[in-house]
Amino acid sequence: MLQSLPTFVAAVALLSSSIVSAAPWRNLRTSNANPWADWEYEACTASKTRIRVDYNSMAPWERKLYTDAVKCLMAQPSQLDPSQYPAATSRYMDYAVIHVGRTQQVHLSGFFSTWHRYFLWLYETDLRHTCGYSGRFPYWDFAATASNPHNFPIFDGSEYSMSGDGLFVDTGPIQLGAELVIPHGSGGGCVTSGPFANMIAPLKFIDPKQLQTGVLPADAYAYNPVCLMRDLNAYVSQTYTNSAQLVAAAHADNASHFEYLLNGVIGSSSLGIHSGAHFSIGGQMNSIHVSAQDPIWYPLHTMIDKVYTSWQLNYPDRAQQMNGETGTALNTPPSAVVTLESVLPDWGYFQLNPIQLKELISTTGGPFCYQYDNVIA
Ligand SMILES: [Cu+2]
């Protein structure tokens, strides 16, 4: 599917074990005998099941409760070694840094859906445990806002939003690949409204093409403070993340078809829902690697998880299918095909225990206990 990509075999830049630090909480117990076999998860019961909801359906007070919790995480100290990870300026940014460190393994690979599902769960749990968040975990239904994202509470720039667009900076059309040019959106500059106004994003932009090399740039964790930027793009939303595309993904024939509808083919005009959602926000979100700096990353990926969950619930016989891909982006450097038995790359200090993919298949099994307010039928 990919023609003449520069494939030189190189070691995937793994985060070193210095990312180990005392986890302040655990959602599973491990016995000291054999960490591979002996942990137990708490049973997920109906009364314990958390329901995830559309941000736009939440009352203003609950939306503010959520963004206050995110800001609380931004005010907590980093647990990473500052000499190795200068861009890790807070506990919130630790997630973004760890995401950078795992990017080459958990995108365009067999780990995408389940690694991100658990990453979101860790973040949600951290908001509750570290910042006392008591509301529901929101997703951003990007198909529902495609007509004009500014018109919805999530991006209206009010104190109850996820902050608005960036200031308008006319930099012309955006070249996303050899075959793909998209029109400029309505922003392009710094985000100056709402809860995350004037936020600093310390991770330097990494071009998605980097995925094709199998390694991270040498300065991937350097401290490079710039403003959080956005360029909301209704054209991209309407073209790549409309409801017909969500429905198609929720009814994909098999896991590799699902992966294609989600992630498209890098560098081609086939963007997929996931990349489309990223590019409809612009700014840091245009980088697969460093996008998790923008707080909208979490509701966006929660929506991707809702699509994954819907597909699994629509076709229980396909729920455990693998997409046939390996454990490295574009199989660079080459690695083994991912199976249900595969151990996922860890989540930095947030979760260092080995977790097998089969544990992350159901949202009401393994470590999880949540559902969505509805299923994409
Ligand atoms: Cu990601």
Side-chain angles (χ1 to χ4, degrees):
M1 69 173 188
L2 290 148
Q3 342 76 315
S4 67
L5 293 173
T7 48
F8 51 87
V9 177
V12 168
L14 291 167
L15 291 189
S16 82
S17 56
S18 69
I19 221 160
V20 177
S21 154
W25 48 266
R26 279 187 194 280
N27 60 338
L28 50 81
R29 295 186 293 278
T30 118
S31 95
N32 49 20
N34 179 3
W36 289 75
D38 282 346
W39 4 313
E40 294 164 43
Y41 296 115
E42 277 178 44
C44 176
T45 59
S47 64
K48 278 199 242 173
T49 306
R50 296 186 184 281
I51 306 298
R52 295 181 172 182
V53 293
D54 185 348
Y55 190 89
N56 285 314
S57 75
M58 288 159 85
W61 66 265
E62 192 177 13
R63 286 186 249 135
K64 183 149 186 333
L65 204 63
Y66 174 74
T67 57
D68 280 350
V70 173
K71 287 167 84 170
C72 157
L73 216 53
M74 290 174 175
Q76 305 302 312
S78 166
Q79 301 294 315
L80 297 175
D81 176 357
S83 62
Q84 229 184 328
Y85 306 103
T89 52
S90 68
R91 188 178 181 91
Y92 173 87
M93 283 300 165
D94 287 354
Y95 284 89
V97 164
I98 287 165
H99 180 266
V100 170
R102 294 293 172 264
T103 294
Q104 311 272 148
Q105 296 153 282
V106 302
H107 301 91
L108 305 175
S109 80
F111 291 131
F112 175 75
S113 295
T114 45
W115 191 89
H116 284 80
R117 171 177 280 176
Y118 194 63
F119 189 71
L120 293 165
W121 176 256
L122 291 168
Y123 179 80
E124 175 184 0
T125 309
D126 210 8
L127 290 177
R128 296 185 196 289
H129 286 244
T130 305
C131 290
Y133 181 56
S134 57
R136 295 168 297 175
F137 198 59
Y139 60 83
W140 163 40
D141 185 343
F142 33 75
T145 64
S147 59
N148 186 357
H150 303 84
N151 282 354
F152 295 84
I154 191 163
F155 293 125
D156 69 9
S158 78
E159 62 177 313
Y160 308 112
S161 70
M162 285 295 294
S163 278
D165 205 351
L167 296 174
F168 182 69
V169 180
D170 188 6
T171 47
I174 301 156
Q175 183 99 34
L176 286 179
E179 306 162 48
L180 183 59
V181 178
I182 57 171
H184 192 274
S186 45
C190 299
V191 171
T192 59
S193 62
F196 308 111
N198 308 311
M199 181 185 152
I200 297 297
L203 280 161
K204 190 175 175 180
F205 194 85
I206 299 176
D207 193 287
K209 284 200 205 86
Q210 185 74 30
L211 273 184
Q212 298 164 5
T213 71
V215 291
L216 289 173
D219 61 350
Y221 304 115
Y223 179 62
N224 197 272
V226 295
C227 64
L228 178 70
M229 289 174 268
R230 286 183 185 164
D231 182 19
L232 297 187
N233 198 315
Y235 167 82
V236 173
S237 305
Q238 288 162 24
T239 309
Y240 297 104
T241 71
N242 58 53
S243 50
Q245 284 154 330
L246 292 192
V247 170
H251 292 280
D253 297 335
N254 53 52
S256 56
H257 185 217
F258 179 79
E259 168 71 18
Y260 170 75
L261 293 173
L262 222 55
N263 289 317
V265 177
I266 195 168
S268 80
S269 57
S270 150
L271 269 192
I273 296 164
H274 170 224
S275 315
H278 274 258
F279 293 130
S280 73
I281 297 289
Q284 282 82 3
M285 290 297 282
N286 284 1
S287 165
I288 298 175
H289 295 75
V290 304
S291 49
Q293 295 178 103
D294 187 328
I296 196 61
W297 190 96
Y298 294 89
L300 184 160
H301 280 265
T302 305
M303 183 65 190
I304 296 292
D305 184 64
K306 179 181 172 179
V307 178
Y308 178 41
T309 305
S310 296
W311 175 71
Q312 291 183 303
L313 293 173
N314 287 337
Y315 301 96
D317 56 320
R318 299 175 196 169
Q320 306 209 10
Q321 273 183 14
M322 298 292 97
N323 64 14
E325 296 186 353
T326 70
T328 40
L330 306 167
N331 195 29
T332 305
S335 60
V337 170
V338 169
T339 69
L340 282 169
E341 314 296 321
S342 296
V343 172
L344 287 103
D346 69 44
W347 294 262
Y349 70 84
F350 295 112
Q351 181 53 275
L352 285 160
N353 286 318
I355 295 191
Q356 286 181 297
L357 199 146
K358 63 186 176 190
E359 298 174 70
L360 307 182
I361 286 292
S362 164
T363 69
T364 53
F368 304 121
C369 197
Y370 69 87
Q371 286 180 328
Y372 289 91
D373 52 355
N374 57 60
V375 172
I376 300 166

